Structures are given as C-alpha cells and as structure tokens.
Amino acid sequence: MKEYIEQAGLGRIYDKVLASERLTVEDGLKLYNSPDILAIGYMANMVRNRLNGDNTYFIYNQHINYSNICTNLCKFCAFGRSKESDLAYEMSVEDVKQKVRARLDEPITEIHMVGGIHPDLPFEYYLELLRGIKEIKPSVHIQAFTCVEIAHLANLAGKPIGETLEILKEAGLGSIPGGGAEVFSPRIRELTCQDKLPGKDWLEVAKIAHRHGLHTNATMLYGHIETMEERVEHLDALRTAQDETNGFLAFIPLAFHPKNTEMSSLSRTTGIDDLKNIAVARLFLDNFPHVKAYWVMIGPKLAQIALSYGADDMDGTVKEEVITHMAGAETDQAIGSNTLIKLIKEAGRTPIERDTLYNVIETH
Ligand code: V47
C-alpha cells in the first residue's frame, strides 16, 4: 500500500499518519485536492482503527424541531421560514411533550432538538421545553440548541453565555449538537448566511460550553460554494479549539442538499466528495474522538462504506428528520436499529448502541 500511496503523491502524509504526527493545513489541502479516494481512505481507516478499533456506534435518538421560524434565513437552508410564511410552524411546549409521549415505549435515550432563531419566543419557552421533556421522560439526554441558538438565548436571557448555559443545564440541557457551524469563513458567511452568528462566535460559544462541562459536536456544511482552503481552515479552527478545551465529541460533515433553497442551481455532492470529507476530517482532526457518517445526508449505503473511510459512528434512528428532507433528501426520515446493526455488521465492524456521551449501552 505504501507504494500505491506514494504514487498518489501522498507518501509524506502517509509517513506522518504512521508516526501519528499532526497534519498541516497544507497536508489537509493536498488531501482535499487529491482524487485518490483509496489512498486517502486507507490512511483514514488506519487512524479510525487506531482510535476506535472496530467499534461502530449508533444511538436510539429522536429529532424534534420545535419551530422553523427563523430570522436568519440562510441561503442554503430550506427549513427556515419567516414568521409570515404559510409554511411557518411553532410547537407549543405541550406539542413537544406530546411528541415525546408518543414514543415513550421506544428505547430512545436522546432527544435531539433544534429550531430556528425565532423573533419573539421568550427565554422561558426554551426552559419549559427542556423541563417538559424531562417531566415526560426523566432519563432521556437532551442534546439541544446549536451554538447559534445558545447565543440567541443568552441575548434573550440578558446574561453572559456561561450563565445562560448554567440555567439551561438546570432545566435539563445535557449537551449541544454541532449544527450552525456551516463554514466558518467570513466570505462564505457573508455570501450565504450574513445574519448568522459569525464563525468565531460559534467557536467561542462551544468553548464556553466545554468549560461549563457541556460536551458539544461540530459540523461543516460542505459541497456548495466553499473552497478547499476554506474547508481546511474550518477543520483547523475546530482542531485548535479542541486543543484548548477538549469538549467536542464528534465531527459530522454535512452534505449540502440544494433543493428548495436559494442555492438550488447547485448540484448535489458526489460520493467521492462525501467519502473524502469523512476521511480528511478523520486524518486532520486528530483530537476528535469520533467522526460521524450521517446516513440521513449521504444515504445508509454510502454511510456504510464510510465506516472504512474514517467514520466510526452512524448517528442513530433519528425518527422524523425534517431539515434535510425539506432540502430534498431522498433517504427515509428514520431508520430501524436493526438496519443500522446489519449495515455495521456487514462492514465487518462491531455495532455498539451508545448513549450521547459514548457510554456503551449494548454491544451487538
Ligand atoms: O445546522 C441546513 C445544516 C444542520 C442544509 O450534532 C443543511 O450530532 C445540508 O447539525 N443541506 C442541522 N445541510 C443538522 C445537524 C446535525 C445532524 C445530525 C447530527 C448532529 C450532531 C447535527 O444542517 C444545520 C445546518 O448546518 N443544513 N440546511 C441543507 N440544505
């Protein structure tokens, strides 16, 4: 394989990977610009095996999107709606509780709950959402509100981020999902989501959360107008933040879905780019314990292949995905745990049902 990787022009990077040496931004760029998915994947698989062996994680989770009303209206998003839109919706606390009640007989261990930046819901609403879910299912871990929402909630509360997080924790918040990161580059944010929390502030919220004992995830929305340099800069900023706080659990590359967005003239990502984003992330983010292949966005079949290209986690059962489906995702809105187990086993890996913090619930 060494000869093959050298022929692909990636011999120096291979030496570093063998020696567990940190890759540079130039290395990251070289990987992104290389078409040799086998060479990149082979190296990423080495790192994945070193960090996680054959362990492949999934979780029994339920997504709830409490409202799609959003003042940001990002160009890549088909989910957000202005308050005046006919398609705008807003769940009451009771509606959300009903969603949880409806699945009480399922072994769900995590509620993943995000929404838009709502113009007038009060801070108390968000606290009531957390408290309401906990009331129905006290054992469930609530992974809720992206760093963008957390910054908004701190504004509503009129308190610093850290204090706001303590209040949210008290009400039931367990950890923070990785959404809203998009691409940190100010150029991309200016062109696609100019009203959104800037990238440096997203990172700051994540680091404050880590310091307050909350784990978070991180994402990157790829496959639209970002350059390879901007992708590597994004990963580099995450790696630097993780060096400081060590609070990120997983990185999840998100494949851009253009349908029904203001960027609908762009085409969907390709299989090679999907695998490359997983593999390069696994190689570059040497301090991230996990890389997820999110089956909703790349399809269960490619997510299964991604388990040999650096990914060690398939996310979970999801139950009712909305954000990607509004943007034309052709995958199902949920997947059975048996299907996940089958996909993982057939990839020659060990399926492990985990909780949000990667404690093992059951090894299959
Ligand atoms: O924040 C928006 C992105 C995110 C589109 O933390 C789009 O474990 C693709 O963050 N095409 C929501 N992506 C999903 C998300 C997530 C999913 C699964 C697990 C975790 C985790 C996080 O989706 C948004 C935004 O960044 N997004 N529009 C689109 N058209």
Side-chain angles (χ1 to χ4, degrees), residues 18 52 77-78 83 159 163 174 228 267 277 282 350 361:
L18 280 176
N52 290 296
C77 184
K83 206 176 169 199
K159 294 189 189 306
E163 235 177 277
M228 297 304 129
S267 46
N277 271 283
R282 184 57 291 168
T350 311
I361 291 179

Side-chain angles (χ1 to χ4, degrees), residues 78-208:
F79 170 71
R81 290 278 183 277
S82 68
K83 206 176 169 199
E84 295 71 37
S85 163
D86 292 342
L87 294 172
Y89 75 85
E90 181 185 306
M91 292 182 194
S92 66
V93 173
E94 191 43 45
D95 294 337
V96 170
K97 283 164 82 172
Q98 194 43 42
K99 289 247 169 222
V100 179
R101 248 186 237 116
R103 292 190 184 277
L104 261 187
D105 57 339
E106 296 180 40
I108 288 163
T109 64
E110 177 190 276
I111 304 272
H112 174 116
M113 181 172 65
V114 296
I117 299 302
H118 195 287
D120 45 33
L121 282 170
F123 185 52
E124 194 56 29
Y125 167 83
Y126 300 89
L127 297 179
E128 285 304 319
L129 282 183
L130 297 169
R131 290 185 194 125
I133 293 172
K134 282 289 194 185
E135 194 185 299
I136 308 287
K137 192 161 187 169
S139 64
V140 89
H141 179 110
I142 309 178
Q143 181 168 80
F145 311 135
T146 65
C147 290
V148 179
E149 286 165 284
I150 298 288
H152 173 63
L153 297 191
N155 276 338
L156 289 181
K159 294 189 189 306
I161 302 281
E163 235 177 277
T164 307
L165 288 170
E166 288 300 331
I167 300 170
L168 292 167
K169 252 165 72 173
E170 184 67 32
L173 182 69
S175 61
I176 296 177
E182 323 311 356
V183 181
F184 294 140
S185 147
R187 181 188 81 91
I188 293 295
R189 274 182 137 70
E190 178 64 30
L191 289 172
T192 64
C193 53
Q194 54 181 351
D195 295 329
K196 195 166 214 148
L197 187 73
K200 64 172 182 23
D201 296 353
W202 186 99
L203 283 162
E204 200 48 43
V205 173
K207 288 194 285 182
I208 295 171

Side-chain angles (χ1 to χ4, degrees), residues 63-83:
H63 281 209
I64 299 178
N65 302 111
Y66 57 88
S67 172
N68 65 350
I69 297 176
C70 189
T71 51
N72 283 347
L73 300 179
C74 307
K75 295 198 170 127
F76 50 73
C77 184
F79 170 71
R81 290 278 183 277
S82 68
K83 206 176 169 199

